[in-house]
Amino acid sequence: MNLNLSSLNNKIIKCRACPRLIKFRNKIVKNKRKQFKDEIYWGKPITGFGDPKGKILFVGLAPAAHGGTRTGRVFTGDKSSDFLYKCLFKANISNQSNSVHVNDGLKLKNTYITAALKCVPPEDKPTKSELNNCFRFFNAELN
């Protein structure tokens, strides 16, 4: 990862611009799903990952409540990741067919994955100001 992306990721992780999203994220961390009750949730904004110079870009709306918010990586540890990484592995874009946590060894070839919104919004419905706050990060990632 280049220094600019590393610096951007640090800013994303430290972001506290959206009180409603912080409150909702903290509620998720406190009220874990039964199957994840013994896990430590990431509980911070998530960053993109993969090959920053990749020619393929996957963009999700936001991390899943008990996926990315739990694992620290978008499209990880939930049903969307089960489908996505099986497809990417079959297409020889990833080195493994699943993604369960941020340190699981997953590598992407010529591909970068991110989300437009860096925190999970209630009912998957971000406000305009929340989207605007995150779009500065999203635009910086694209650049």
Side-chain angles (χ1 to χ4, degrees), residues 58-79:
F58 287 91
V59 180
L61 170 63
H66 300 278
T69 300
R70 176 176 56 88
T71 65
R73 184 196 289 153
V74 69
F75 291 116
T76 296
D78 61 9
K79 294 290 182 192

Side-chain angles (χ1 to χ4, degrees), residues 4-142:
N4 290 339
L5 190 55
S6 179
S7 175
L8 174 63
N9 286 346
N10 286 331
K11 289 177 185 173
I12 292 169
I13 291 167
K14 292 176 184 175
C15 180
R16 304 211 28 99
C18 304
R20 185 180 82 111
L21 298 185
I22 293 168
K23 182 179 178 183
F24 186 64
R25 200 176 62 220
N26 289 341
K27 180 180 173 185
I28 290 165
V29 169
K30 184 178 177 187
N31 302 316
K32 300 174 183 179
R33 279 202 177 144
K34 192 175 183 179
Q35 73 256 40
F36 305 126
K37 69 180 174 69
D38 295 327
E39 291 189 31
I40 296 171
Y41 275 49
W42 169 254
K44 299 176 227 172
I46 56 93
T47 64
F49 76 101
D51 179 357
K53 295 182 181 185
K55 304 268 190 249
I56 302 169
L57 174 67
F58 287 91
V59 180
L61 170 63
H66 300 278
T69 300
R70 176 176 56 88
T71 65
R73 184 196 289 153
V74 69
F75 291 116
T76 296
D78 61 9
K79 294 290 182 192
S80 65
S81 73
D82 293 345
F83 175 76
L84 177 64
Y85 294 109
K86 281 180 189 171
C87 293
L88 294 181
F89 182 74
K90 190 173 181 177
N92 198 31
I93 292 173
S94 69
N95 66 327
Q96 57 194 48
S97 62
N98 67 340
S99 179
V100 292
H101 59 80
V102 75
N103 295 314
D104 62 11
L106 176 68
K107 302 280 187 249
L108 300 176
K109 301 171 192 164
N110 200 31
T111 302
Y112 191 79
I113 298 178
T114 193
L117 200 66
K118 305 308 181 185
C119 297
V120 59
E123 299 177 11
D124 287 330
K125 294 179 181 173
T127 66
K128 183 171 177 11
S129 65
E130 290 164 350
L131 285 170
N132 288 339
N133 286 337
C134 276
F135 279 172
R136 65 188 168 102
F137 293 133
F138 181 64
N139 288 331
E141 272 183 306
L142 294 181

